[in-house]
Amino acid sequence: MATESPAKPNKAGAFDIRLIIALLIGVYGIVLTVLGIGFTTQADLDKAAGVRINLWAGLGMLVVGLLFVLWVRLRPLLVPTDESAGESTEDSE
């Protein structure tokens, strides 16, 4: 009779959807931040009541992306391992 150790759940890792969302929000945040810093014209500022809206939206998106990454690090998704299929054939004999 073999000693059985409790199955250790695996982390979802790169397949965690929160990382994909963080990546997308982060990329858009970088693009908007760069546009807000270097490519805002006076006409754009006049349309937005003097606010560099691309800059602020980009910084906000970067913060949200970082919060998603922090969420993944602090509360990782655990994928249970399925070892019950191998045990059922041994128990039936």
Side-chain angles (χ1 to χ4, degrees):
M1 181 169 192
T3 59
E4 296 178 18
S5 62
K8 182 180 176 185
N10 297 323
K11 293 182 182 178
F15 298 107
D16 193 347
I17 191 70
R18 296 173 295 179
L19 282 177
I20 297 168
I21 293 170
L23 177 69
L24 289 173
I25 291 174
V27 168
Y28 285 127
I30 290 170
V31 169
L32 285 176
T33 302
V34 169
L35 285 174
I37 290 173
F39 298 101
T40 303
T41 63
Q42 187 59 42
D44 294 334
L45 288 173
D46 292 340
K47 282 193 261 183
V51 177
R52 291 182 178 261
I53 194 68
N54 285 339
L55 175 64
W56 290 108
L59 291 174
M61 291 177 86
L62 287 174
V63 167
V64 170
L66 289 174
L67 288 174
F68 266 85
V69 171
L70 184 64
W71 183 21
V72 169
R73 294 287 182 197
L74 294 177
R75 306 251 337 208
L77 289 179
L78 300 177
V79 179
T81 57
D82 186 24
E83 295 181 1
S84 61
E87 295 172 4
S88 63
T89 57
E90 294 175 11
D91 293 340
S92 64
E93 292 179 15

